[in-house]
Amino acid sequence: MNHCLIVDDSRSIRKVSRQMLEGLGFRVSEAENGEAALLACRSEMPDVILLDWNMPVMDGHSFLKQLRASPSGSAPKVVFCTTENDMSFIARALEAGADEYIMKPFDKDILVAKLQEIGVLRVSSGGAL
């Protein structure tokens, strides 16, 4: 079972994202900022990370740069999920090592499409596998 870490300072975003991901068969953990996410990754590296940009303590961009610099930090697929839609933010996210980018608010169909694009979810005609 794939493990997803949701990193967002919004409890409601984490809750909704968790429901979507668990419905797709993921095991889910949460962190409220980049610093807590780094600690979670040191404890158990997830397969995929949904990452907010703007958070207190440590933002998503700083977290991603530190994650990718860590010994096993190249392994997880990272999807930025943010309200930042300026091309400069998207470029910075991709340069820092993000695999994909989703604009908030997003729904299950958008999430499924992005997870398929990065290779962590296969969907058959009967539903998610």
Side-chain angles (χ1 to χ4, degrees):
M1 175 184 294
N2 279 337
H3 172 214
C4 181
L5 174 62
I6 301 167
V7 186
D8 200 300
D9 59 325
S10 167
R11 184 176 295 137
S12 60
I13 293 290
R14 292 194 312 266
K15 180 181 177 182
V16 170
S17 298
R18 173 184 283 276
Q19 290 171 341
M20 285 187 231
L21 288 159
E22 287 178 343
L24 295 169
F26 283 84
R27 185 170 55 87
V28 178
S29 56
E30 301 177 14
E32 66 278 1
N33 61 58
E35 186 176 275
L38 282 174
L39 290 173
C41 289
R42 287 184 191 123
S43 175
E44 179 188 6
M45 192 63 73
D47 301 297
V48 62
I49 299 170
L50 293 187
L51 180 62
D52 186 24
W53 190 290
N54 297 307
M55 296 177 289
V57 183
M58 180 186 289
D59 68 25
H61 186 257
S62 298
F63 161 79
L64 183 56
K65 290 188 336 188
Q66 288 190 40
L67 173 75
R68 293 303 195 213
S70 71
S72 56
S74 62
K77 300 289 187 177
V78 176
V79 179
F80 256 107
C81 304
T82 182
T83 57
E84 300 292 352
N85 64 356
D86 187 274
M87 285 304 295
S88 67
F89 281 92
I90 297 170
R92 284 179 60 208
L94 296 174
E95 287 168 10
D99 296 285
E100 261 304 338
Y101 204 91
I102 296 177
M103 296 302 304
K104 288 181 185 175
F106 57 91
D107 61 19
K108 187 174 180 179
D109 292 337
I110 292 169
L111 183 59
V112 165
K114 293 297 183 178
L115 294 174
Q116 285 177 300
E117 285 178 30
I118 62 173
V120 295
L121 183 68
R122 288 187 316 141
V123 176
S124 70
S125 58
L129 294 176

